[in-house]
Amino acid sequence: MAGAAQLKIVGDLITELAMRYDGDEGLFRAYESVEFLAPLYAGDWIEANGRIVSVGTTSRGCEFEVWKIGTARTDISESAAEFLDEPVLTLKAAGTTVVPREHQRFAH
């Protein structure tokens, strides 16, 4: 699976974080870091999470992780799959989103 697929998931997470925090999807400004730590393949199952770690007037610093939690078992049958005994961290990233003050709908 291309790394860009994981980055799309991170983009969806940062949009959700901004919507929950500010009531507006904001604009993803920049990645501060991206680490691809393990491969993903078609048929793998993942869990992804993100959290806001810093808040400025309009900027929100966020951290993200993508974990592989299951995999296809085509060696058994074309539809077999199983959960992993231990999740595998496949991506760590940090980035900043910006929500203009006039778009922020929630008081903090």
Side-chain angles (χ1 to χ4, degrees):
M1 170 185 266
Q6 291 186 77
L7 293 179
K8 181 184 180 324
I9 292 165
V10 168
D12 291 343
L13 285 170
I14 205 163
T15 297
E16 181 178 346
L17 289 172
M19 290 177 70
R20 288 181 182 274
Y21 192 83
D22 289 301
D24 188 275
E25 65 184 56
L27 176 64
F28 197 172
R29 174 87 167 104
Y31 283 106
E32 280 77 49
S33 65
V34 176
E35 297 177 72
F36 295 101
L37 303 169
L40 283 175
Y41 301 99
D44 287 346
W45 306 330
I46 62 168
E47 286 184 353
N49 57 63
R51 63 190 180 109
I52 296 173
V53 296
S54 65
V55 176
T57 304
T58 59
S59 64
R60 311 313 179 215
C62 302
E63 294 178 346
F64 308 94
E65 294 179 341
V66 177
W67 293 84
K68 178 179 170 178
I69 60 167
T71 191
R73 288 294 311 272
T74 55
D75 57 315
I76 297 171
S77 78
E78 62 185 47
S79 59
E82 66 187 16
F83 285 99
L84 301 177
D85 292 332
E86 294 290 327
V88 174
L89 183 60
T90 64
L91 176 133
K92 284 179 65 171
T96 301
T97 192
V98 174
V99 180
R101 188 181 275 288
E102 65 272 14
H103 293 189
Q104 297 172 22
R105 297 189 302 123
F106 306 141
H108 299 285

